[in-house]
Amino acid sequence: MPKTAYYIPIGPIHPALKEPIRVEAEVEGEKIVKVDVKRGFAHRGIEYMGMKRNAIQTLYLSERICGICSISHPYAFVITAEKALGIEAPPRAQYIRPIIAELERIHSHLLWLGVIAHEMGFDSLLFWIWKGREKVLDLLELLTGNRINYSVFMIGGVRRDLKESHIKALKDMITYYWEFTEKMKEIILSDPVYKARTRGVAQLSKELALKLNVVGPTARAAGLRMDIRQDMPYDAYADIDVRAVVPQDIVGEARGDAYDITMVRIYEIEQSLDIIEYCVDNLPEGKILAIPNYVALLAKIRRTKGEAIGAHEAPRGEVVHYLKFDGRDGPSVWKVIAPSYNNINSWAPLLLGAEVADIPIVVAYIDPCMCCNDRVALLKTPEGKVLGYEYIHRKAVEKTKRIEREVRK
């Protein structure tokens, strides 16, 4: 390292970080010339725990993967389980689920808008946005009983119905946020300082976004028209003409920077309001559970063998779950991929050449979630040596061949 260069380690525990991760940057003056991102500090073995429980217990365990995405993981879980088990949720439940999911998108995007304002030093903007976020959190508590960890989804439907008082509260909320988003456009998108601080910062080209396989608002801000609700519609989304929100449809071009991603998230709040309004106005009558008796549901799971992959468009991007059932009342295999797993790939190329003061914006612009992201465990010998990929792969091949021999006997 030249004498004019400095090494800046950030994390894994740092006052600027909400969750543990490590960014190591080498800087010359104010310019970042080398960067390395290290993750894996928040792994909790939650998939392993889920494979030791029955499917209903695992469903509510999936809410604990991430508090902010506490409906996104259960949504992907129930879609996957229903595919594997051959269960279809009643039409009314298929309309209630998107309402809850879009409410979560609104509160998540408002949370991010407050965080990005804070990272730039606009704390008055942070407090104003988070004050506005209280409305949707209060509504989620009214509908589900909780502000997060709602416990409302079930394999084959939902656990709570909507009453007339809930419908009125939803319509009041829609009116409130249409006015709130108009104010956000005026205060945030039209502010010359906000524009100067975000234009050209964390700029991700369409080509690089494709190469890095980023998802969600991060990909859409770069101009990619990708959204699970559009590309693989499920539940009521199949009845709604959902279209990915991209900057070129709003201002005529996509630059893929922190300003564009702010714009995409504000317009996605308005899209969520439209989806909720459609579901409320067209809410079918009828039951909300395909199999209301949970003992009967677990018995069906024990009798069924199958596997499936399912996905939901979470506020941060695609959440993908894989489940395999083979004769017990819970999954024998459960694997989860969350959007931060892909989106963190953008940090290193975007930080290279950036200024030190831009590090918080580059880190925050993808709305990272470490507890969603960390899905890999390091295996160590009793002596503390970390087992390498080659060794683990060889052991996996040996086990597969051993099982093949046992099956053929």
Side-chain angles (χ1 to χ4, degrees):
M1 184 186 300
K3 290 183 179 179
T4 54
Y6 294 89
Y7 169 72
I8 301 179
I10 302 173
I13 306 299
H14 189 279
L17 297 173
K18 312 299 183 292
E19 297 176 89
I21 194 166
R22 185 172 177 86
V23 178
E24 298 174 354
E26 189 178 316
V27 302
E28 291 182 10
E30 288 291 321
K31 189 176 179 182
I32 301 169
V33 296
K34 188 176 180 182
V35 65
D36 189 16
V37 178
K38 296 179 178 177
R39 42 186 165 179
F41 299 97
H43 181 70
R44 296 168 290 167
I46 202 164
E47 292 162 334
Y48 179 82
M49 289 189 279
M51 290 185 280
K52 301 298 178 185
R53 289 162 166 77
N54 71 44
I56 297 174
Q57 291 170 325
T58 306
L59 167 60
Y60 300 118
L61 182 64
S62 73
E63 294 191 343
R64 273 71 182 174
I65 293 175
C66 169
I68 303 303
C69 293
S70 58
I71 211 64
S72 299
H73 286 287
Y75 208 159
F77 186 96
V78 296
I79 289 172
T80 310
E82 288 164 6
K83 279 185 186 177
L85 300 168
I87 299 173
E88 183 176 359
R92 188 174 179 86
Q94 292 187 26
Y95 272 64
I96 293 175
R97 286 174 178 177
I99 291 173
I100 306 297
E102 296 307 317
L103 289 174
E104 182 175 81
R105 191 179 316 279
I106 292 171
H107 96 66
S108 178
H109 280 1
L110 290 173
L111 176 76
W112 179 86
L113 286 160
V115 168
I116 201 72
H118 168 70
E119 299 294 357
M120 294 177 193
F122 290 170
D123 278 353
S124 55
L125 190 58
L126 156 71
F127 294 127
W128 176 72
I129 292 172
W130 281 16
K131 181 183 176 185
R133 178 172 171 258
E134 286 298 302
K135 180 84 172 175
V136 68
L137 290 174
D138 288 345
L139 182 58
L140 280 163
E141 185 177 8
L142 175 70
L143 301 183
T144 70
N146 287 319
R147 288 160 66 91
I148 59 169
N149 294 342
Y150 315 105
S151 302
V152 73
F153 281 19
M154 172 55 70
I155 299 169
V158 292
R159 292 178 58 243
R160 289 174 182 264
D161 204 348
L162 292 183
K163 304 173 186 174
E164 281 303 316
S165 59
H166 295 156
I167 300 295
K168 181 180 182 308
L170 281 164
K171 290 185 175 179
D172 290 345
M173 182 275 305
I174 291 169
T175 303
Y176 174 83
Y177 279 115
W178 273 114
E179 295 175 2
F180 194 73
T181 53
E182 286 302 317
K183 288 180 184 174
M184 282 199 293
K185 290 178 190 172
E186 180 183 344
I187 293 172
I188 301 174
L189 298 181
S190 301
D191 182 78
V193 177
Y194 189 90
K195 188 177 286 188
R197 195 68 188 84
T198 53
R199 267 297 183 215
V201 177
Q203 191 160 15
L204 188 66
S205 69
K206 191 174 182 179
E207 294 71 25
L208 188 57
L210 277 171
K211 184 179 179 182
L212 296 174
N213 196 28
V214 298
V215 296
T218 307
R220 292 191 283 274
L224 296 176
R225 296 182 188 276
M226 54 186 293
D227 188 314
I228 292 289
R229 298 169 297 171
Q230 165 195 278
D231 303 327
M232 300 165 55
Y234 45 95
D235 288 348
Y237 293 120
D239 300 333
I240 306 169
D241 188 25
V242 178
R243 289 284 178 265
V245 175
V246 288
Q248 58 264 39
D249 290 345
I250 303 170
V251 294
E253 63 174 344
R255 302 189 193 181
D257 55 19
Y259 183 86
D260 273 3
I261 207 165
T262 305
M263 182 166 54
V264 164
R265 283 194 165 96
I266 292 175
Y267 278 81
E268 285 189 353
I269 291 173
E270 294 188 339
Q271 183 186 47
S272 294
L273 296 175
D274 281 337
I275 292 171
I276 293 169
E277 189 169 34
Y278 179 91
C279 291
V280 167
D281 291 342
N282 296 278
L283 187 64
E285 296 293 334
K287 61 182 184 179
I288 58 173
L289 281 169
I291 305 176
N293 186 318
Y294 297 161
V295 176
L297 175 61
L298 291 175
K300 176 176 174 52
I301 295 172
R302 276 194 297 272
R303 293 193 304 269
T304 309
K305 293 184 179 181
E307 60 183 334
I309 294 175
H312 166 63
E313 185 69 29
R316 296 178 172 102
E318 302 169 8
V319 166
V320 182
H321 282 225
Y322 167 77
L323 286 167
K324 182 178 180 181
F325 297 94
D326 61 3
R328 58 179 292 269
D329 56 8
S332 60
V333 182
W334 178 35
K335 294 295 177 187
V336 178
I337 299 176
S340 294
Y341 189 82
N342 300 45
N343 291 339
I344 288 176
N345 293 336
S346 67
W347 282 0
L350 292 181
L351 284 170
L352 270 180
E355 295 186 1
V356 173
D358 292 335
I359 292 177
I361 300 173
V362 172
V363 169
Y365 99 109
I366 65 165
D367 194 12
C369 177
M370 307 317 160
C371 57
C372 275
N373 167 70
D374 290 342
R375 307 255 64 85
V376 179
L378 289 179
L379 301 178
K380 296 182 179 179
T381 64
E383 295 75 30
K385 182 183 177 183
V386 176
L387 300 179
Y389 169 78
E390 296 295 336
Y391 176 81
I392 297 171
H393 178 69
R394 188 173 74 251
K395 298 300 287 184
V397 172
E398 290 173 2
K399 183 176 181 180
T400 302
K401 290 181 176 177
R402 175 169 55 80
I403 292 173
E404 280 180 347
R405 288 194 297 272
E406 292 173 357
V407 169
R408 288 172 181 171
K409 284 182 180 177

